[in-house]
Coordinates of all heavy atoms in Angstrom, one line a residue:
L153 N 21.7 5.9 29.0 CA 20.7 4.8 28.9 C 20.1 4.7 27.5 O 19.7 5.7 27.0 CB 19.6 5.1 30.0 CG 18.6 3.9 30.2 CD1 19.2 2.7 30.8 CD2 17.4 4.4 31.0
M154 N 20.0 3.5 27.0 CA 19.5 3.3 25.7 C 18.0 3.4 25.6 O 17.3 2.9 26.5 CB 20.0 2.0 25.2 CG 19.8 1.9 23.7 SD 20.6 0.4 23.0 CE 22.3 0.7 23.2
K155 N 17.5 4.2 24.6 CA 16.1 4.3 24.5 C 15.5 3.1 23.8 O 16.1 2.5 23.0 CB 15.8 5.6 23.6 CG 16.4 6.9 24.2 CD 16.1 8.0 23.2 CE 16.6 9.3 23.7 NZ 18.0 9.4 23.4
K156 N 14.2 2.9 24.2 CA 13.5 1.8 23.5 C 12.9 2.2 22.2 O 12.4 3.3 22.1 CB 12.4 1.3 24.5 CG 11.6 0.2 23.9 CD 10.5 -0.3 24.9 CE 9.9 -1.6 24.4 NZ 8.9 -2.1 25.5
I157 N 13.1 1.4 21.2 CA 12.6 1.7 19.9 C 11.4 0.8 19.6 O 11.6 -0.4 19.7 CB 13.7 1.6 18.8 CG1 14.8 2.6 19.0 CG2 13.0 1.8 17.4 CD1 16.0 2.4 18.1
E158 N 10.3 1.3 19.3 CA 9.1 0.5 19.0 C 8.6 0.7 17.6 O 8.5 1.9 17.2 CB 7.9 0.8 20.0 CG 8.2 0.4 21.4 CD 7.2 0.9 22.3 OE1 7.0 2.2 22.5 OE2 6.4 0.1 22.8
I159 N 8.4 -0.4 16.8 CA 7.9 -0.2 15.5 C 6.6 -0.9 15.4 O 6.4 -2.1 15.7 CB 8.9 -0.9 14.5 CG1 10.3 -0.2 14.6 CG2 8.4 -0.8 13.0 CD1 11.4 -0.9 13.8
F160 N 5.6 -0.1 15.0 CA 4.2 -0.6 14.8 C 4.0 -0.9 13.3 O 3.9 0.1 12.5 CB 3.2 0.4 15.4 CG 3.3 0.5 16.9 CD1 4.2 1.3 17.5 CD2 2.4 -0.3 17.7 CE1 4.3 1.3 18.9 CE2 2.5 -0.2 19.0 CZ 3.4 0.6 19.7
D161 N 4.0 -2.1 12.9 CA 3.9 -2.5 11.5 C 2.5 -2.6 11.1 O 1.6 -2.9 11.8 CB 4.5 -4.0 11.3 CG 6.0 -4.0 11.5 OD1 6.7 -3.2 10.8 OD2 6.5 -4.8 12.3
P162 N 2.2 -2.3 9.8 CA 0.9 -2.5 9.2 C 0.6 -4.0 9.2 O 1.5 -4.8 9.4 CB 1.0 -2.0 7.8 CG 2.5 -2.0 7.5 CD 3.2 -1.8 8.8
A163 N -0.6 -4.4 8.9 CA -1.0 -5.8 8.8 C -0.2 -6.4 7.6 O -0.3 -5.9 6.5 CB -2.5 -5.9 8.6
M164 N 0.5 -7.5 7.9 CA 1.3 -8.1 6.9 C 1.0 -9.6 6.9 O 0.4 -10.1 7.8 CB 2.8 -7.9 7.1 CG 3.1 -6.4 7.0 SD 4.9 -6.1 7.0 CE 5.3 -6.4 8.7
C165 N 1.5 -10.3 5.9 CA 1.2 -11.8 5.8 C 1.9 -12.5 6.9 O 1.4 -13.6 7.3 CB 1.7 -12.3 4.4 SG 3.3 -11.7 4.0
C166 N 3.0 -12.0 7.5 CA 3.6 -12.6 8.6 C 4.3 -11.6 9.4 O 4.3 -10.4 9.0 CB 4.7 -13.7 8.1 SG 6.0 -12.9 7.2
E167 N 4.9 -11.9 10.5 CA 5.4 -10.9 11.4 C 6.4 -9.9 10.8 O 6.4 -8.8 11.1 CB 6.1 -11.6 12.6 CG 5.1 -11.9 13.7 CD 5.7 -12.5 15.0 OE1 6.9 -12.2 15.2 OE2 5.0 -13.2 15.7
T168 N 7.3 -10.4 9.9 CA 8.3 -9.5 9.3 C 7.8 -9.0 8.0 O 8.4 -8.0 7.5 CB 9.6 -10.2 9.1 OG1 9.3 -11.4 8.3 CG2 10.2 -10.6 10.5
G169 N 6.8 -9.6 7.4 CA 6.4 -9.2 6.0 C 7.3 -9.9 5.0 O 7.1 -9.7 3.8
I170 N 8.3 -10.7 5.4 CA 9.2 -11.3 4.5 C 8.6 -12.7 4.2 O 9.0 -13.7 4.8 CB 10.6 -11.4 5.0 CG1 11.1 -10.1 5.5 CG2 11.6 -12.0 4.0 CD1 12.4 -10.1 6.3
C171 N 7.7 -12.8 3.3 CA 7.0 -14.0 3.0 C 6.3 -13.9 1.7 O 6.2 -12.8 1.1 CB 6.0 -14.4 4.1 SG 5.1 -13.0 4.7
G172 N 5.8 -15.0 1.1 CA 5.2 -14.9 -0.2 C 6.2 -14.9 -1.3 O 7.4 -15.0 -1.1
P173 N 5.6 -14.9 -2.5 CA 6.5 -15.1 -3.7 C 7.4 -13.9 -4.0 O 8.6 -14.1 -4.4 CB 5.5 -15.2 -4.8 CG 4.2 -14.6 -4.3 CD 4.2 -14.8 -2.9
S174 N 7.0 -12.7 -3.7 CA 7.8 -11.5 -4.0 C 8.2 -10.8 -2.7 O 7.3 -10.3 -2.0 CB 7.1 -10.5 -4.9 OG 5.9 -10.1 -4.3
I175 N 9.5 -10.9 -2.3 CA 9.9 -10.4 -1.1 C 10.3 -8.9 -1.3 O 11.0 -8.5 -2.2 CB 11.1 -11.1 -0.5 CG1 10.7 -12.5 -0.1 CG2 11.8 -10.4 0.6 CD1 11.7 -13.4 0.5
D176 N 9.7 -8.1 -0.4 CA 9.9 -6.6 -0.4 C 11.4 -6.3 0.1 O 11.7 -6.7 1.2 CB 8.9 -5.9 0.5 CG 9.0 -4.4 0.4 OD1 10.1 -3.9 0.4 OD2 7.9 -3.8 0.4
Q177 N 12.2 -5.8 -0.8 CA 13.6 -5.5 -0.4 C 13.7 -4.6 0.8 O 14.6 -4.8 1.6 CB 14.4 -4.9 -1.6 CG 14.8 -6.0 -2.6 CD 15.6 -7.1 -1.9 OE1 16.5 -6.9 -1.2 NE2 15.2 -8.4 -2.2
E178 N 12.8 -3.6 0.9 CA 12.9 -2.7 2.0 C 12.6 -3.4 3.3 O 13.3 -3.2 4.3 CB 11.9 -1.5 1.8 CG 12.0 -0.5 2.9 CD 10.8 0.5 3.0 OE1 9.7 0.2 2.4 OE2 10.9 1.5 3.7
L179 N 11.5 -4.3 3.3 CA 11.2 -5.0 4.5 C 12.3 -6.0 4.9 O 12.6 -6.2 6.0 CB 9.9 -5.8 4.3 CG 8.6 -5.0 4.4 CD1 7.4 -5.9 3.9 CD2 8.4 -4.5 5.8
L180 N 13.0 -6.6 3.9 CA 14.1 -7.5 4.1 C 15.2 -6.8 4.8 O 15.8 -7.2 5.8 CB 14.5 -8.2 2.8 CG 15.6 -9.2 2.9 CD1 15.2 -10.3 3.8 CD2 16.0 -9.7 1.6
S181 N 15.6 -5.6 4.2 CA 16.8 -4.9 4.8 C 16.4 -4.3 6.1 O 17.3 -4.3 7.0 CB 17.2 -3.8 3.8 OG 16.2 -3.0 3.5
T182 N 15.2 -3.9 6.4 CA 14.7 -3.4 7.7 C 14.8 -4.6 8.7 O 15.4 -4.4 9.8 CB 13.3 -2.9 7.6 OG1 13.3 -1.8 6.7 CG2 12.8 -2.4 9.0
A183 N 14.3 -5.7 8.4 CA 14.3 -6.9 9.3 C 15.8 -7.3 9.6 O 16.1 -7.6 10.8 CB 13.6 -8.1 8.7
T184 N 16.6 -7.3 8.6 CA 18.0 -7.6 8.8 C 18.7 -6.6 9.7 O 19.4 -6.9 10.7 CB 18.8 -7.7 7.5 OG1 18.1 -8.6 6.6 CG2 20.2 -8.1 7.6
L185 N 18.4 -5.3 9.5 CA 19.0 -4.2 10.3 C 18.5 -4.3 11.7 O 19.3 -4.2 12.7 CB 18.6 -2.9 9.7 CG 19.1 -1.6 10.4 CD1 20.6 -1.6 10.5 CD2 18.6 -0.4 9.6
I186 N 17.2 -4.6 11.9 CA 16.7 -4.7 13.3 C 17.4 -5.8 14.0 O 17.7 -5.7 15.2 CB 15.2 -4.8 13.2 CG1 14.5 -3.5 12.8 CG2 14.6 -5.3 14.6 CD1 13.0 -3.6 12.5
Q187 N 17.5 -7.0 13.3 CA 18.1 -8.1 14.0 C 19.6 -7.8 14.4 O 20.0 -8.2 15.4 CB 18.1 -9.3 13.1 CG 18.4 -10.6 13.8 CD 17.5 -10.9 15.0 OE1 16.3 -10.8 15.0 NE2 18.1 -11.0 16.2
T188 N 20.3 -7.1 13.5 CA 21.7 -6.8 13.7 C 21.8 -5.9 15.0 O 22.6 -6.1 15.9 CB 22.3 -6.0 12.5 OG1 22.2 -6.9 11.4 CG2 23.8 -5.7 12.7
L189 N 20.9 -4.9 15.0 CA 20.9 -3.9 16.2 C 20.5 -4.7 17.5 O 21.1 -4.4 18.5 CB 19.9 -2.8 15.9 CG 20.4 -1.8 14.8 CD1 19.2 -0.9 14.5 CD2 21.6 -1.1 15.2
K190 N 19.5 -5.6 17.4 CA 19.1 -6.4 18.6 C 20.3 -7.2 19.1 O 20.5 -7.3 20.3 CB 18.0 -7.3 18.2 CG 16.6 -6.6 18.3 CD 15.5 -7.7 17.9 CE 14.2 -7.4 18.5 NZ 13.2 -8.3 18.1
D191 N 21.0 -7.8 18.1 CA 22.2 -8.6 18.5 C 23.2 -7.8 19.2 O 24.0 -8.3 20.0 CB 22.8 -9.3 17.3 CG 21.9 -10.3 16.7 OD1 20.9 -10.7 17.3 OD2 22.1 -10.7 15.5
K192 N 23.2 -6.5 18.9 CA 24.2 -5.6 19.6 C 23.6 -5.0 20.9 O 24.2 -4.1 21.5 CB 24.6 -4.4 18.6 CG 25.4 -4.9 17.5 CD 25.8 -3.8 16.6 CE 26.7 -4.3 15.5 NZ 26.9 -3.4 14.4
G193 N 22.4 -5.5 21.3 CA 21.9 -5.0 22.6 C 20.9 -3.9 22.5 O 20.5 -3.4 23.5
V194 N 20.6 -3.4 21.3 CA 19.6 -2.3 21.2 C 18.2 -2.9 21.5 O 17.8 -3.9 21.1 CB 19.7 -1.7 19.7 CG1 18.6 -0.6 19.6 CG2 21.1 -1.2 19.4
D195 N 17.4 -2.1 22.2 CA 16.1 -2.4 22.6 C 15.1 -2.0 21.5 O 14.6 -0.9 21.5 CB 15.8 -1.7 24.0 CG 14.4 -2.2 24.6 OD1 13.8 -3.2 24.0 OD2 14.0 -1.7 25.6
I196 N 14.8 -3.0 20.6 CA 13.9 -2.7 19.5 C 12.8 -3.8 19.6 O 13.0 -5.0 19.7 CB 14.5 -2.8 18.2 CG1 15.7 -1.9 18.0 CG2 13.5 -2.6 17.0 CD1 16.4 -1.9 16.7
V197 N 11.5 -3.3 19.5 CA 10.4 -4.3 19.5 C 9.5 -3.9 18.3 O 9.3 -2.8 18.0 CB 9.5 -4.1 20.8 CG1 8.6 -5.3 20.9 CG2 10.4 -4.0 22.0
R198 N 9.0 -5.0 17.6 CA 8.1 -4.7 16.5 C 6.8 -5.3 16.9 O 6.7 -6.4 17.5 CB 8.6 -5.5 15.3 CG 9.8 -4.8 14.6 CD 10.2 -5.6 13.4 NE 9.4 -5.2 12.2 CZ 9.6 -5.7 11.0 NH1 10.6 -6.5 10.8 NH2 8.9 -5.3 10.0
Y199 N 5.7 -4.6 16.6 CA 4.3 -5.1 16.8 C 3.6 -5.1 15.5 O 3.6 -4.0 14.8 CB 3.6 -4.2 17.8 CG 4.2 -4.0 19.1 CD1 4.7 -2.8 19.5 CD2 4.4 -5.1 20.0 CE1 5.3 -2.6 20.8 CE2 5.0 -4.9 21.2 CZ 5.5 -3.7 21.6 OH 6.1 -3.5 22.8
G200 N 3.0 -6.2 15.1 CA 2.2 -6.2 13.9 C 0.8 -6.0 14.1 O 0.2 -6.6 15.1
L201 N 0.1 -5.3 13.3 CA -1.3 -5.0 13.4 C -2.1 -6.3 13.5 O -3.0 -6.5 14.2 CB -1.8 -4.1 12.3 CG -3.2 -3.5 12.5 CD1 -3.4 -2.8 13.8 CD2 -3.5 -2.5 11.3
A202 N -1.7 -7.3 12.6 CA -2.4 -8.5 12.6 C -2.1 -9.4 13.8 O -2.9 -10.1 14.3 CB -2.1 -9.3 11.3
N203 N -0.8 -9.4 14.2 CA -0.3 -10.3 15.3 C -0.5 -9.7 16.7 O -0.7 -10.5 17.6 CB 1.1 -10.6 15.1 CG 1.4 -11.2 13.7 OD1 1.4 -10.5 12.7 ND2 1.6 -12.5 13.6
N204 N -0.3 -8.4 16.9 CA -0.4 -7.8 18.2 C -1.4 -6.6 18.3 O -1.0 -5.5 18.6 CB 1.0 -7.3 18.7 CG 2.1 -8.3 18.3 OD1 2.8 -8.0 17.3 ND2 2.3 -9.3 19.1
P205 N -2.6 -6.8 17.8 CA -3.5 -5.7 17.8 C -3.7 -5.0 19.1 O -3.9 -3.7 19.1 CB -4.9 -6.3 17.3 CG -4.8 -7.7 17.6 CD -3.3 -8.1 17.5
Q206 N -3.6 -5.7 20.2 CA -3.8 -5.1 21.5 C -2.8 -4.0 21.8 O -3.0 -3.0 22.5 CB -3.9 -6.1 22.6 CG -2.6 -6.8 23.0 CD -2.0 -7.8 22.0 OE1 -2.7 -8.1 21.0 NE2 -0.9 -8.4 22.3
K207 N -1.6 -4.2 21.2 CA -0.5 -3.2 21.5 C -0.8 -1.9 20.8 O -0.4 -0.8 21.3 CB 0.8 -3.7 20.9 CG 1.4 -4.9 21.7 CD 1.9 -4.5 23.0 CE 2.5 -5.7 23.8 NZ 2.8 -5.3 25.2
F208 N -1.6 -1.9 19.7 CA -2.0 -0.7 19.0 C -3.1 0.1 19.8 O -3.2 1.3 19.8 CB -2.5 -1.0 17.6 CG -1.4 -1.5 16.7 CD1 -0.8 -2.7 16.8 CD2 -1.0 -0.7 15.7 CE1 0.2 -3.1 16.0 CE2 0.0 -1.1 14.8 CZ 0.6 -2.3 14.9
V209 N -3.9 -0.7 20.5 CA -5.0 -0.1 21.3 C -4.4 0.4 22.6 O -4.8 1.5 23.1 CB -6.1 -1.2 21.6 CG1 -7.2 -0.7 22.5 CG2 -6.6 -1.7 20.2
E210 N -3.5 -0.4 23.3 CA -3.0 0.0 24.6 C -2.1 1.2 24.5 O -2.1 2.0 25.5 CB -2.1 -1.2 25.1 CG -2.9 -2.4 25.6 CD -2.0 -3.6 25.8 OE1 -0.7 -3.4 25.8 OE2 -2.5 -4.7 26.0
N211 N -1.4 1.5 23.4 CA -0.5 2.6 23.4 C -1.4 3.8 22.9 O -1.8 3.9 21.8 CB 0.6 2.3 22.4 CG 1.6 3.4 22.4 OD1 1.3 4.6 22.3 ND2 2.9 3.0 22.5
K212 N -1.6 4.8 23.9 CA -2.4 5.9 23.6 C -1.9 6.8 22.4 O -2.7 7.2 21.6 CB -2.5 6.8 24.9 CG -3.5 8.0 24.6 CD -3.9 8.6 25.9 CE -4.7 9.9 25.8 NZ -5.5 10.0 24.6
V213 N -0.7 7.0 22.3 CA -0.1 7.8 21.2 C -0.4 7.1 19.9 O -0.9 7.8 18.9 CB 1.5 7.9 21.4 CG1 2.1 8.6 20.2 CG2 1.8 8.6 22.7
V214 N -0.2 5.8 19.8 CA -0.5 5.1 18.5 C -2.0 5.0 18.3 O -2.4 5.3 17.1 CB 0.1 3.6 18.6 CG1 -0.3 2.8 17.4 CG2 1.6 3.7 18.8
N215 N -2.7 4.7 19.3 CA -4.2 4.6 19.1 C -4.8 6.0 18.6 O -5.6 6.0 17.7 CB -4.8 4.2 20.5 CG -6.2 3.7 20.3 OD1 -6.7 3.5 19.2 ND2 -6.9 3.5 21.4
D216 N -4.4 7.1 19.3 CA -4.9 8.4 18.9 C -4.5 8.7 17.4 O -5.3 9.2 16.7 CB -4.3 9.5 19.8 CG -4.9 9.4 21.2 OD1 -5.9 8.6 21.4 OD2 -4.4 10.2 22.1
L217 N -3.3 8.4 17.0 CA -2.9 8.7 15.7 C -3.6 7.9 14.7 O -4.0 8.3 13.6 CB -1.4 8.4 15.5 CG -0.4 9.6 15.7 CD1 1.0 9.2 15.7 CD2 -0.7 10.7 14.6
L218 N -3.9 6.6 15.0 CA -4.6 5.7 14.1 C -6.1 6.2 14.0 O -6.6 6.2 12.9 CB -4.6 4.3 14.6 CG -3.3 3.5 14.4 CD1 -3.4 2.2 15.1 CD2 -3.1 3.3 12.9
Q219 N -6.7 6.7 15.1 CA -8.0 7.2 15.0 C -8.1 8.5 14.1 O -9.0 8.7 13.4 CB -8.5 7.6 16.4 CG -8.5 6.5 17.4 CD -9.7 5.5 17.2 OE1 -10.7 5.8 16.5 NE2 -9.5 4.3 17.7
L220 N -7.0 9.3 14.3 CA -7.0 10.6 13.6 C -6.6 10.4 12.1 O -7.2 11.0 11.2 CB -5.9 11.4 14.3 CG -6.0 12.9 14.1 CD1 -7.2 13.4 14.9 CD2 -4.8 13.6 14.8
E221 N -5.6 9.6 11.8 CA -5.1 9.5 10.4 C -5.3 8.2 9.7 O -5.0 8.1 8.5 CB -3.6 9.9 10.5 CG -3.3 11.2 11.1 CD -1.8 11.6 11.0 OE1 -1.1 11.3 10.0 OE2 -1.3 12.1 12.0
G222 N -5.7 7.2 10.5 CA -5.9 5.9 9.8 C -4.7 5.0 9.7 O -3.6 5.5 10.0
V223 N -4.9 3.8 9.2 CA -3.7 2.8 9.1 C -2.7 3.2 8.1 O -1.6 2.6 8.1 CB -4.2 1.4 8.8 CG1 -5.0 0.8 10.0 CG2 -5.1 1.3 7.6
E224 N -3.0 4.2 7.3 CA -2.0 4.7 6.3 C -0.7 5.2 6.9 O 0.3 5.2 6.3 CB -2.6 5.8 5.4 CG -3.8 5.4 4.6 CD -5.1 5.4 5.4 OE1 -5.3 6.2 6.3 OE2 -5.8 4.4 5.1
I225 N -0.8 5.5 8.2 CA 0.4 6.1 8.9 C 1.4 5.0 9.2 O 2.5 5.2 9.6 CB 0.1 6.9 10.2 CG1 -0.6 6.0 11.2 CG2 -0.7 8.1 9.8 CD1 -0.6 6.5 12.6
L226 N 1.0 3.7 9.1 CA 1.9 2.6 9.5 C 2.8 2.3 8.3 O 2.5 2.5 7.2 CB 1.0 1.3 9.8 CG 0.1 1.5 10.9 CD1 -0.8 0.2 11.1 CD2 0.8 1.8 12.3
P227 N 4.1 1.9 8.6 CA 4.6 1.7 9.9 C 4.9 3.0 10.7 O 5.1 4.0 10.1 CB 6.0 1.0 9.6 CG 6.3 1.5 8.2 CD 5.0 1.6 7.5
L228 N 4.8 2.9 12.0 CA 4.9 4.0 12.9 C 6.1 3.7 13.8 O 6.1 2.5 14.3 CB 3.6 4.2 13.7 CG 3.4 5.4 14.5 CD1 3.4 6.7 13.7 CD2 2.1 5.3 15.3
V229 N 7.0 4.6 14.0 CA 8.2 4.3 14.9 C 8.2 5.3 16.1 O 8.0 6.5 15.9 CB 9.5 4.5 14.1 CG1 10.7 4.1 14.9 CG2 9.4 3.7 12.8
L230 N 8.3 4.7 17.3 CA 8.4 5.4 18.5 C 9.8 5.2 19.1 O 10.2 4.1 19.1 CB 7.3 5.0 19.5 CG 5.9 5.7 19.4 CD1 5.3 5.4 18.1 CD2 5.1 5.2 20.5
V231 N 10.4 6.3 19.6 CA 11.6 6.2 20.4 C 11.3 6.8 21.7 O 10.9 7.9 21.8 CB 12.8 6.9 19.7 CG1 14.0 6.8 20.5 CG2 13.1 6.3 18.3
A232 N 11.5 6.0 22.8 CA 11.2 6.4 24.1 C 9.8 7.0 24.2 O 9.5 8.0 24.9 CB 12.2 7.5 24.6
G233 N 8.9 6.4 23.5 CA 7.5 6.7 23.6 C 7.0 7.9 22.7 O 5.9 8.2 22.7
N234 N 8.0 8.5 22.0 CA 7.6 9.6 21.1 C 7.7 9.2 19.6 O 8.6 8.5 19.2 CB 8.6 10.7 21.3 CG 8.6 11.2 22.7 OD1 7.6 11.6 23.3 ND2 9.8 11.3 23.4
V235 N 6.7 9.7 18.9 CA 6.7 9.3 17.4 C 7.8 10.0 16.7 O 8.0 11.3 16.8 CB 5.3 9.8 16.8 CG1 5.3 9.6 15.3 CG2 4.2 9.1 17.5
V236 N 8.6 9.3 16.0 CA 9.8 9.8 15.3 C 9.6 9.6 13.8 O 10.3 10.3 13.0 CB 11.1 9.3 15.8 CG1 11.5 9.8 17.2 CG2 11.1 7.7 15.7
K237 N 8.8 8.7 13.4 CA 8.6 8.5 12.0 C 7.3 7.8 11.7 O 6.8 7.0 12.4 CB 9.7 7.6 11.5 CG 9.8 7.4 10.0 CD 11.1 7.2 9.4 CE 11.1 7.2 7.9 NZ 12.4 7.5 7.3
K238 N 6.6 8.3 10.6 CA 5.4 7.7 10.1 C 5.5 7.3 8.6 O 6.3 7.9 7.9 CB 4.2 8.7 10.2 CG 3.9 9.2 11.6 CD 2.6 10.0 11.7 CE 2.7 11.3 11.0 NZ 1.5 12.2 11.3
N239 N 4.7 6.3 8.2 CA 4.6 6.0 6.8 C 5.7 5.2 6.2 O 5.6 4.8 5.0 CB 4.4 7.3 5.9 CG 3.0 7.7 5.9 OD1 2.1 7.0 6.2 ND2 2.8 9.0 5.7
S240 N 6.8 5.1 6.9 CA 7.9 4.3 6.3 C 8.9 3.8 7.4 O 8.9 4.3 8.5 CB 8.7 5.2 5.2 OG 9.3 6.3 5.9
Y241 N 9.7 2.9 7.0 CA 10.6 2.3 7.9 C 11.9 3.2 8.0 O 12.2 3.8 7.1 CB 11.0 0.9 7.5 CG 9.9 -0.1 7.7 CD1 9.1 -0.5 6.6 CD2 9.6 -0.6 9.0 CE1 8.0 -1.4 6.9 CE2 8.6 -1.5 9.2 CZ 7.8 -1.8 8.1 OH 6.7 -2.7 8.3
P242 N 12.5 3.2 9.2 CA 13.7 4.0 9.4 C 14.8 3.5 8.5 O 15.0 2.3 8.3 CB 14.0 3.8 10.9 CG 12.8 3.2 11.5 CD 12.1 2.4 10.4
T243 N 15.7 4.4 8.2 CA 16.9 4.1 7.5 C 18.0 3.7 8.6 O 17.8 4.0 9.8 CB 17.5 5.3 6.7 OG1 17.8 6.3 7.7 CG2 16.5 5.8 5.7
K244 N 19.0 3.1 8.2 CA 20.1 2.7 9.1 C 20.6 4.0 9.8 O 20.8 4.0 11.0 CB 21.3 2.1 8.3 CG 22.4 1.6 9.2 CD 23.4 0.9 8.4 CE 24.5 0.3 9.3 NZ 25.6 -0.4 8.5
E245 N 20.7 5.1 9.1 CA 21.2 6.4 9.6 C 20.3 6.9 10.7 O 20.7 7.4 11.8 CB 21.4 7.4 8.5 CG 22.5 7.2 7.5 CD 22.2 6.0 6.6 OE1 21.0 5.7 6.3 OE2 23.1 5.3 6.2
E246 N 19.0 6.7 10.5 CA 18.0 7.2 11.5 C 18.1 6.3 12.7 O 18.1 6.9 13.9 CB 16.6 7.1 10.9 CG 16.3 8.2 9.9 CD 15.0 8.1 9.2 OE1 14.6 7.0 8.8 OE2 14.2 9.1 9.2
F247 N 18.2 5.0 12.6 CA 18.3 4.1 13.7 C 19.5 4.5 14.5 O 19.5 4.7 15.8 CB 18.5 2.7 13.3 CG 17.2 1.9 13.1 CD1 16.9 1.3 11.9 CD2 16.3 1.8 14.2 CE1 15.7 0.5 11.8 CE2 15.1 1.1 14.0 CZ 14.8 0.4 12.8
L248 N 20.7 4.7 13.8 CA 21.9 5.1 14.5 C 21.8 6.4 15.2 O 22.3 6.6 16.4 CB 23.1 5.0 13.6 CG 23.4 3.6 13.0 CD1 24.5 3.7 11.9 CD2 23.8 2.7 14.1
A249 N 21.1 7.4 14.6 CA 21.0 8.7 15.3 C 20.2 8.6 16.5 O 20.5 9.2 17.6 CB 20.3 9.6 14.3
W250 N 19.1 7.8 16.5 CA 18.2 7.6 17.7 C 19.0 6.9 18.8 O 18.8 7.2 20.0 CB 16.9 6.9 17.4 CG 16.1 7.6 16.4 CD1 16.0 8.9 16.2 CD2 15.2 7.0 15.4 NE1 15.1 9.2 15.2 CE2 14.6 8.0 14.6 CE3 14.9 5.6 15.0 CZ2 13.7 7.8 13.6 CZ3 14.1 5.4 14.0 CH2 13.5 6.5 13.3
I251 N 19.8 5.9 18.4 CA 20.5 5.1 19.4 C 21.6 6.0 20.1 O 21.8 5.9 21.3 CB 21.1 3.9 18.8 CG1 20.1 2.9 18.3 CG2 22.1 3.2 19.7 CD1 20.5 1.9 17.3
N252 N 22.2 6.8 19.3 CA 23.3 7.6 19.8 C 22.9 9.0 20.3 O 23.8 9.8 20.7 CB 24.4 7.7 18.7 CG 24.9 6.4 18.3 OD1 25.2 5.6 19.2 ND2 25.0 6.1 17.0
E253 N 21.6 9.3 20.4 CA 21.2 10.6 20.9 C 21.7 10.9 22.3 O 21.6 10.0 23.2 CB 19.7 10.7 20.9 CG 19.2 11.4 19.6 CD 17.7 11.4 19.5 OE1 17.0 11.0 20.5 OE2 17.2 11.8 18.5

């Protein structure tokens, strides 16, 4: 059974962060990678602090970490409800490892 991957994004100018005059290459490649994996049937959801603040409050793990460490820990990645990465977006290798566990 495929695990659900949840990405809790910091507050950005738009849902993907790919907007404005200077596009962040890391965000662009992350968004592209996520879309590719979604197209292959991988269960990945992204929540933005600006767009979906209630998701950050509802998720006890995320809420506790934010209270403890602050928004600096974002982006935060959960796989099957467990924190697997803080402070940065996953690499393609990490995504593939989690999917194939």
Side-chain angles (χ1 to χ4, degrees):
L153 186 67
M154 197 171 286
K155 298 179 182 80
K156 181 177 189 174
I157 299 174
E158 295 173 290
I159 300 171
F160 290 83
D161 289 307
M164 298 187 285
C165 48
C166 64
E167 274 184 27
T168 56
I170 308 170
C171 40
S174 60
I175 291 179
D176 184 320
Q177 279 306 311
E178 185 194 16
L179 282 171
L180 181 60
S181 54
T182 298
T184 305
L185 178 58
I186 288 170
Q187 195 53 56
T188 303
L189 292 170
K190 277 179 152 178
D191 292 345
K192 291 182 175 166
V194 178
D195 187 5
I196 302 181
V197 193
R198 288 180 81 173
Y199 303 114
L201 190 54
N203 305 76
N204 321 100
Q206 73 285 359
K207 292 289 180 189
F208 289 73
V209 177
E210 287 167 10
N211 187 311
K212 182 163 172 32
V213 175
V214 174
N215 197 11
D216 288 353
L217 266 173
L218 284 172
Q219 300 288 337
L220 205 66
E221 301 182 43
V223 291
E224 297 76 40
I225 63 164
L226 300 176
L228 189 63
V229 185
L230 273 62
V231 176
N234 300 307
V235 175
V236 290
K237 186 148 189 163
K238 299 192 287 193
N239 280 336
S240 61
Y241 288 100
T243 61
K244 185 177 182 179
E245 292 70 31
E246 285 173 314
F247 271 125
L248 295 174
W250 298 329
I251 293 163
N252 297 314
E253 266 177 6

